[in-house]
């Protein structure tokens, strides 16, 4: 939000430097993010003066250009200026930008610096200016022609009453509904100065005592059908106005905060918004059929064309201001309609001032992506009890600047008046929360400066009435915060002792587990990615099947309508990252991500933490080593997945193959029905739909389940065995349906503590030699005993038991 220092001084008589004001505002919680000295017209019109066109004739080399001689008061020296304006003529008084002048044409951020130059062979020593070239308006039809008695050499800065000002960019937090306007900031500043520097002058409010209806010739009937969305609605008609340019003082106020003056009526509504924090809307009376205004919500799907000429589809929860025929004229509190606003031909207006529900306004503003100044004020919570004052103030200005007459009494629909909140504060709580004992008279002085009336008081506490412009101040802690803001944060002493409570970290620490796995994956060539938690519902309707539409968590994303759901899995975001990298000539992709997924389930939205892994392309980076080549495959991923489980200290889980539309083939780790991880090759159809080249391998870990399981497991450390190991190899001919895990399970049962490791080091398939449906596994077994050196007899005994079990349970035969 932009605040003008000159504008603040309209309400509070202060003699402080701009830097001192900035420091005070920041101390009040209105953090000043930037301060700048500005002119009410950009560039200040430095170098622009009033000139007299002494000579004017045609350019010899261009039909549409004129050659002029202009006197700008330089001791009779005339400037030669080539001018292209159709209305330039001898004898005119004009605005002349001299050589070296930096102009800021309307809408331009970069200056145009004038130089002495030749145009079509003729010398030009400046520019005779149009309004838009000086930043004074949009008119470019011709140069500015001044009254004939305007003195030559008059500075444009003086002629247009250009003011210097300081403006502050304030980082306004959502809870400061009272500081959305200059009057609110002025009150805050005055309260601080009164409580800390003995300031006694009141905040000066413009008087509206002169307001009265001149006649009753143009009454308007108002009906509010949705009082929950519009607790207060007021309006008045002004008849016989003349649309024109605003006076300099009004244009200067608006320009100082970056607002472009439009015309007197529109400028007044913008001025009141930034002065009082009360949005207004002016309707052309000719568009209000039946002289009736209806505040209601139109049916879902209704069409409405807004001021920006965009046709919008209403949701059924958009508050509309309608005419007597039920036709929408304005989206209440958000944006006007294309036809109902003030036009150059408008003579009669209906002026609206209202208090709208913050919930209704924010919902509509976000849905239609209309983040207007009015909507931002209403969604913070406007003051319902300033409505009539703002209406009278604006009506008087319109009558003064537009020459009209007030043609009705004020209509005010306010069935349930909002009263100041009554809050009781305990003196001990003030000291406890602030950390310093503030004398009671000082607390009273601060509350009085904040316009909080003390309703009652006893020895321990007092009750105050909170002004309705402070919509966020509803609790004891809120009032104490207000006291602290005015008292001054810097006056609270820093304690000599720092007290803290013991922080008990859960075991195992989820953050440490995540760091452990992240370090392991990074050490093995993986790159961590961070994808959006948003996705596109179309993927789950055309690319990935198996996710019911009612499981998807839809959102109203006005900034990117395609990202319309919270992601229900990690797959799509990972595939998008692979596509992005592959399209930029990246190969050998190994990615991992810790993230959350969202689905509707029993009891509402289910949110789960997941870990995903992705492999695509070469297994290792390019190298001269011949044994480090080849593509990443299912077993590459399986090895990484098993090591993740080991790093977490997890064992005793089951492995089983599974099939789904997502995976061409895959395996899952589980404990009974609880799935810990699934991994495998992504279905080629999905890769093709996503535009990926090559095979993609994907692992999805239920991180919440892994952390929970890790808390029940333990990592044991054992002393290195000082006795030698013995190796034996077996070549087993088995059915294709037999898994290596079956071989391992039998070996663990038979060998018990003597078998330290089992490894599959070769797979051989040849139907001609082995038979149909057969394969050969070459398996190594490492034996050791922590108490002695194993003899061949000890080892051979176990090996014979293994052979017997494999033959009996798996139908295996031994290749000898």
């Amino acid at each position: 939000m932009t605040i003008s220092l000159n504008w603040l001084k309209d309400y509070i008589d202060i003699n402080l430097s701009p830097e001192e004001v900035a420091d005070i505002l920041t101390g009040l919680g209105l953090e000043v993010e930037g301060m700048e000295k500005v002119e009410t017209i950009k560039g200040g019109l430095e170098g622009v003066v009033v000139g007299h066109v002494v000579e004017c004739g045609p350019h010899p080399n261009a039909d549409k250009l004129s050659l002029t001689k202009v006197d700008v008061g330089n001791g009779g020296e005339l400037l030669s200026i080539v001018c292209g304006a159709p209305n330039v003529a001898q004898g005119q008084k004009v605005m002349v930008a001299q050589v070296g002048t930096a102009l800021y044409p309307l809408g331009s951020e970069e200056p145009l610096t004038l130089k002495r130059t030749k145009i079509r062979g003729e010398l030009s020593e400046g520019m005779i200016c149009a309004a838009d070239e000086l930043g004074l308006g949009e008119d470019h039809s011709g140069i500015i022609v001044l009254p004939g008695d305007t003195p030559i050499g008059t500075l444009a800065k003086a002629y247009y009453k250009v003011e210097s000002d300081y403006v502050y960019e304030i980082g306004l937090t959502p809870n400061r509904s009272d500081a959305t306007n200059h009057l609110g900031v002025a009150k805050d500043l005055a309260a601080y100065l009164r409580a800390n520097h003995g300031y006694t002058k009141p905040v000066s409010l413009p008087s509206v005592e002169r307001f009265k209806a001149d006649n009753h010739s143009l009454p308007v009937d108002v009906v509010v059908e949705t009082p929950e969305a519009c607790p207060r609605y007021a309006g008045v008609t002004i008849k016989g106005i003349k649309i024109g340019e605003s006076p300099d003082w009004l244009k200067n106020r608006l320009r100082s905060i970056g607002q472009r003056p439009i015309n007197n009526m529109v400028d007044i509504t913008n001025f009141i918004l930034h002065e009082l924090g009360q949005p207004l809307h002016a309707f052309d009376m000719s568009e209000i059929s039946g002289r009736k205004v209806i505040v209601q919500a139109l049916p879902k799907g209704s069409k409405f064309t807004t001021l920006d000429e965009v046709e919008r589809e209403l949701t059924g929860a958009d508050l509309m201001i309608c005419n007597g025929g039920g036709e929408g004229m304005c989206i209440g509190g958000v944006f006007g309609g294309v036809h109902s606003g003030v036009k150059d031909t408008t003579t009669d207006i209906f002026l609206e001032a209202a208090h709208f529900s913050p919930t209704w306004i924010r919902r509509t503003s976000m849905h239609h992506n209309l983040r207007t100044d009015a909507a931002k004020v209403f969604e913070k919570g406007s003051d319902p009890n300033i409505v009539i004052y703002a209406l009278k103030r604006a009506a008087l200005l319109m009558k003064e600047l537009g020459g009209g007459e007030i043609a009705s009494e004020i209509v005010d629909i306010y069935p349930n008046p909002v009263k100041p909140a009554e809050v009781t504060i305990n003196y001990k709580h003030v000291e406890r929360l602030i950390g310093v004992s503030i004398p009671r008279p000082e607390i009273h002085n601060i509350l009085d400066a904040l316009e909080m009336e003390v309703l009652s008081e006893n020895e321990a506490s007092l009750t105050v009435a909170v002004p309705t412009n402070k919509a966020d101040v509803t609790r004891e802690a809120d009032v104490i915060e207000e006291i602290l803001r005015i008292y001054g944060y810097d006056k609270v002493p820093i304690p000599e002792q720092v007290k803290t409570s013991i922080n008990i970290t859960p075991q195992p620490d989820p953050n440490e587990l995540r760091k452990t796995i992240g370090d392991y994956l990074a050490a093995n060539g993986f790159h961590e990615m961070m994808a959006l938690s948003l996705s596109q519902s179309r993927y789950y309707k055309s690319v990935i099947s198996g996710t019911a539409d009612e499981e998807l968590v839809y959102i109203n994303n006005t900034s990117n309508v395609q990202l319309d759901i919270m992601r229900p899995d990690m797959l799509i975001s990972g595939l998008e990252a692979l596509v992005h990298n592959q399209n930029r000539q990246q190969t050998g992709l190994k990615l991992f991500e810790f993230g959350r997924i969202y689905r509707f389930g029993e009891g509402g939205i289910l949110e789960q933490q997941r870990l995903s892994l992705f492999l695509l392309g070469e297994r290792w980076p390019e190298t001269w080593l011949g044994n480090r080549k080849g593509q990443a495959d299912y077993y590459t991923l399986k090895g990484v997945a098993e090591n993740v489980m080991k790093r977490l200290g997890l064992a005793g889980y089951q492995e089983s193959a599974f099939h789904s539309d997502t995976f061409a083939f895959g395996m899952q780790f589980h404990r009974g029905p609880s799935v810990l991880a699934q991994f495998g090759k992504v279905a080629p159809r999905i890769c093709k739909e996503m535009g990926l080249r090559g095979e993609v391998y994907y692992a999805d870990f239920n991180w919440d389940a892994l952390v929970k399981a890790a808390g029940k497991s333990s990592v044991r450390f054992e002393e290195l065995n000082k006795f030698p190991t013995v190796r034996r190899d077996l070549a087993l001919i088995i059915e294709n349906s037999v898994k290596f895990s079956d071989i391992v399970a039998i070996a663990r049962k038979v060998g018990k503590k003597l078998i330290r490791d089992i490894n599959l080091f070769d797979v051989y398939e040849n139907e001609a030699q082995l038979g149909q449906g057969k394969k050969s596994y070459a398996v190594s077994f490492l034996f050791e005993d922590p108490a002695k050196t194993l003899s061949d007899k000890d080892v051979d005994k176990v090996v014979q038991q293994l052979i017997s079990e494999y033959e009996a349970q798996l139908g295996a035969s031994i290749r000898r």
Side-chain angles (χ1 to χ4, degrees):
M1 187 182 74
T2 305
I3 291 294
S4 156
L5 180 56
N6 286 351
W7 203 338
L8 286 179
K9 290 180 178 179
D10 289 344
Y11 316 111
I12 177 172
D13 184 11
I14 53 175
N15 187 24
L16 299 172
S17 71
E19 293 77 15
E20 288 174 322
V21 172
D23 289 342
I24 293 173
L25 293 179
T26 298
L28 288 168
L30 302 173
E31 184 176 356
V32 176
E33 298 174 343
M35 181 182 75
E36 181 184 6
K37 184 179 181 181
V38 298
E39 311 287 346
T40 49
I41 298 177
K42 196 165 187 178
L45 302 182
E46 295 289 346
V48 182
V49 298
V50 174
H52 176 224
V53 182
V54 178
E55 299 178 15
C56 181
H59 192 291
N61 303 320
D63 293 339
K64 295 184 178 181
L65 298 180
S66 301
L67 289 180
T68 66
K69 295 288 186 179
V70 183
D71 181 6
V72 294
N74 290 339
E77 179 183 351
L78 302 182
L79 299 180
S80 297
I81 298 177
V82 177
C83 181
N87 64 328
V88 65
Q90 183 176 336
Q92 291 174 335
K93 295 292 180 67
V94 293
M95 282 294 172
V96 179
Q98 303 174 84
V99 171
T101 299
L103 294 179
Y104 289 84
L106 190 67
S108 174
E109 292 296 324
E110 297 298 324
L112 172 65
T113 303
L114 299 185
K115 299 178 181 179
R116 183 177 284 102
T117 187
K118 284 191 174 183
I119 299 176
R120 296 291 183 94
E122 296 294 333
L123 179 66
S124 186
E125 301 175 291
M127 177 190 290
I128 303 176
C129 299
D132 67 329
E133 291 164 336
L134 297 179
L136 296 173
E138 298 181 351
D139 186 10
H140 192 69
S141 60
I143 59 171
I144 299 171
V145 180
L146 304 172
D149 59 354
T150 307
I152 298 171
T154 300
L155 298 179
K157 184 173 184 177
Y159 184 86
Y160 288 111
K161 298 180 177 63
V162 177
E163 297 179 357
S164 294
D165 196 0
Y166 283 87
V167 295
Y168 306 98
E169 287 300 325
I170 291 177
L172 194 62
T173 53
N175 64 324
R176 292 304 307 275
S177 60
D178 60 318
T180 58
N181 55 86
H182 283 78
L183 183 61
V185 174
K187 286 184 176 182
D188 233 22
L189 187 59
Y192 175 86
L193 294 174
R194 177 175 174 178
N196 294 277
H197 298 283
Y199 183 84
T200 57
K201 297 178 182 179
V203 175
S204 176
L205 287 175
S207 173
V208 293
E209 290 182 358
R210 294 183 295 109
F211 178 88
K212 67 180 181 65
D214 296 308
N215 56 65
H216 301 87
S217 61
L218 207 57
V220 172
D221 186 25
V222 175
V223 176
V224 178
E225 294 187 354
T226 51
E228 71 278 9
C230 180
R232 187 173 197 178
Y233 190 93
V236 68
T237 54
I238 300 101
K239 182 180 179 181
I241 60 168
K242 183 178 180 181
I243 303 297
E245 189 177 357
S246 297
D248 289 336
W249 71 265
L250 179 53
K251 291 190 290 186
N252 286 343
R253 285 290 175 264
L254 294 176
R255 286 181 181 137
S256 69
I257 59 171
Q259 293 281 320
R260 180 173 62 89
I262 298 173
N263 60 54
N264 50 0
M265 296 299 110
V266 174
D267 291 349
I268 288 169
T269 61
N270 287 333
F271 175 79
I272 296 299
L273 169 63
H274 293 282
E275 179 186 49
L276 304 177
Q278 175 59 56
L280 304 174
H281 194 80
F283 295 94
D284 189 325
M285 275 295 297
S286 64
E287 300 293 334
I288 305 179
S289 61
R291 288 192 189 177
K292 186 175 183 179
V293 170
I294 305 172
V295 183
Q296 62 182 343
L298 293 179
K300 182 179 181 180
S302 300
K303 306 294 184 181
F304 179 71
T305 303
T306 45
L307 192 58
D308 54 1
E309 299 184 352
V310 175
E311 185 180 75
R312 304 178 189 275
E313 184 174 310
L314 303 180
T315 66
D318 298 323
L319 186 65
M320 299 297 297
I321 312 301
C322 304
N323 59 25
E327 300 167 322
M329 299 188 296
C330 169
I331 302 179
V334 178
F335 208 33
V338 70
H339 300 299
S340 62
V342 173
K343 299 175 278 290
D344 290 342
T345 56
T346 299
T347 57
D348 305 329
I349 67 170
F350 174 72
L351 183 62
E352 165 199 281
H355 171 64
F356 296 118
S357 162
T359 303
W360 279 66
I361 298 303
R362 180 167 178 81
R363 181 174 57 212
T364 294
S365 171
M366 296 300 291
H367 177 81
H368 295 291
N369 196 25
L370 292 171
R371 305 296 295 144
T372 59
D373 288 340
K376 291 175 183 177
V377 169
F378 281 127
E379 68 185 29
K380 282 183 172 66
S382 65
D383 182 2
N385 293 323
I386 204 173
V387 166
I388 300 302
Y389 174 82
L391 198 61
K392 290 180 178 179
R393 169 93 163 120
L396 288 171
L397 285 172
M398 289 181 175
K399 183 178 177 181
E400 176 186 345
L401 304 183
E405 55 186 21
I406 299 171
S408 75
E409 296 291 348
I410 290 177
V411 57
D412 183 16
I413 311 298
Y414 195 19
N416 299 301
V418 177
K419 297 180 180 179
E422 296 184 5
V423 180
T424 300
I425 58 173
N426 188 294
Y427 287 115
K428 289 184 178 179
H429 294 171
V430 174
E431 182 176 350
R432 178 177 60 85
L433 291 177
I434 294 179
V436 64
S437 178
I438 303 175
R440 295 190 182 187
E442 189 170 354
I443 291 176
H444 279 256
N445 188 35
I446 291 173
L447 293 173
D448 188 45
L450 287 168
E451 299 181 346
M452 293 188 183
E453 180 186 357
V454 177
L455 302 177
S456 62
E457 183 181 15
N458 56 42
E459 187 63 29
S461 64
L462 77 166
T463 300
V464 297
V466 179
T468 52
N469 69 325
K470 296 181 181 291
D472 64 301
V473 181
T474 58
R475 306 167 302 164
E476 180 186 35
D478 299 330
V479 176
I480 294 174
E481 182 184 0
E482 291 291 289
I483 294 172
L484 175 58
R485 283 196 314 106
I486 303 303
Y487 177 74
Y489 295 103
D490 292 342
K491 293 166 68 174
V492 178
I494 298 174
E496 296 180 357
Q497 292 181 332
V498 177
K499 298 179 181 179
T500 184
S501 58
I502 298 175
N503 184 24
I504 301 176
T505 303
Q507 295 297 328
D509 185 349
N511 293 325
E512 285 299 318
L513 292 179
R514 177 170 170 166
K515 183 176 182 297
T516 296
I517 300 304
D519 289 346
Y520 161 72
L521 293 171
N524 282 272
F526 281 80
H527 290 87
E528 184 170 9
M529 59 173 277
M530 295 178 66
L532 289 175
S533 293
L534 308 180
S535 189
Q536 302 180 45
S537 61
R538 66 179 182 88
Y539 286 134
Y540 299 91
K541 297 174 181 177
S542 60
V543 179
I544 296 178
S545 58
T547 303
D549 190 66
E550 55 267 21
E551 290 185 77
L552 300 178
V553 180
Y554 283 89
I555 60 170
N556 178 25
N557 186 0
T558 56
S559 60
N560 189 335
V561 295
Q562 292 180 330
L563 298 174
D564 57 345
I565 61 170
M566 304 297 288
R567 63 178 176 187
D569 59 42
M570 306 285 283
L571 177 61
I572 289 295
S573 54
L575 295 181
E576 288 177 328
L578 292 178
V579 170
H580 180 87
N581 282 276
Q582 194 177 68
N583 289 343
R584 286 157 180 78
Q585 291 77 49
Q586 299 299 309
T587 59
L589 296 169
K590 302 169 78 173
L591 306 176
F592 76 96
E593 180 186 10
F594 288 97
R596 294 184 180 275
I597 64 172
Y598 309 83
R599 290 180 184 238
F600 271 110
E602 294 183 7
I605 297 174
L606 304 178
E607 182 177 344
Q608 287 186 339
Q609 184 81 22
R610 314 292 283 200
L611 165 64
S612 60
L613 311 180
F614 294 89
L615 295 177
L616 171 62
E618 292 84 1
R619 182 178 181 183
W620 305 104
E622 190 174 17
T623 177
W624 59 272
L625 288 172
N627 63 346
R628 299 199 73 180
K629 294 182 179 180
Q631 299 289 305
D633 56 19
Y634 168 78
Y635 294 102
T636 307
L637 182 62
K638 185 173 185 289
V640 175
E642 288 176 339
N643 284 336
V644 167
M645 303 296 280
K646 289 178 181 177
R647 284 299 181 99
L648 292 172
L650 298 178
Y653 53 83
Q654 293 89 43
E655 301 179 15
S656 61
F658 77 100
H659 302 280
S660 71
D661 292 333
T662 301
F663 292 96
F665 55 83
M667 179 171 285
Q668 61 184 9
F669 298 153
H670 59 98
R671 284 179 172 171
S674 177
V675 177
L676 302 176
Q678 291 182 333
F679 56 90
K681 178 183 175 181
V682 177
R685 177 188 62 81
I686 295 176
C687 295
K688 184 178 179 180
E689 292 272 1
M690 296 296 295
L692 280 164
R693 304 178 299 278
E695 297 180 345
V696 176
Y697 296 91
Y698 163 58
D700 177 33
F701 293 86
N702 185 339
W703 187 251
D704 290 332
L706 291 180
V707 171
K708 185 177 180 180
K712 299 177 181 179
S713 65
S714 60
V715 178
R716 294 185 299 109
F717 295 89
E718 296 180 352
E719 183 182 0
L720 290 175
N721 195 345
K722 59 184 179 181
F723 298 102
T725 58
V726 179
R727 171 171 169 159
R728 291 286 190 273
D729 296 344
L730 289 177
L732 304 171
I733 300 174
I734 52 180
E735 298 287 341
N736 284 337
S737 59
V738 176
K739 300 187 292 292
F740 177 62
S741 59
D742 299 330
I743 296 172
V744 172
I746 293 173
R748 292 295 183 197
K749 185 176 181 181
V750 171
K752 297 181 180 177
K753 295 183 179 181
L754 292 183
I755 298 180
R756 192 190 75 183
D757 194 25
I758 305 128
N759 182 47
L760 174 65
F761 63 90
D762 187 47
V763 178
Y764 179 69
E765 295 179 322
N766 188 322
E767 287 191 0
Q769 295 182 7
L770 302 177
Q772 187 175 2
K774 300 282 189 178
K775 60 185 176 182
S776 175
Y777 274 5
V779 184
S780 67
F781 301 86
L782 283 183
F783 295 83
E784 71 175 16
D785 190 326
K788 65 178 182 178
T789 300
L790 290 171
S791 65
D792 289 341
K793 183 179 179 181
D794 296 329
V795 174
D796 291 341
K797 180 180 178 181
V798 177
V799 170
Q800 287 301 318
Q801 290 177 339
L802 286 174
I803 292 172
S804 298
E805 292 297 325
Y806 288 146
E807 290 175 340
Q809 296 189 39
L810 304 180
S813 59
I814 309 300
R815 295 179 63 194
R816 302 184 185 277

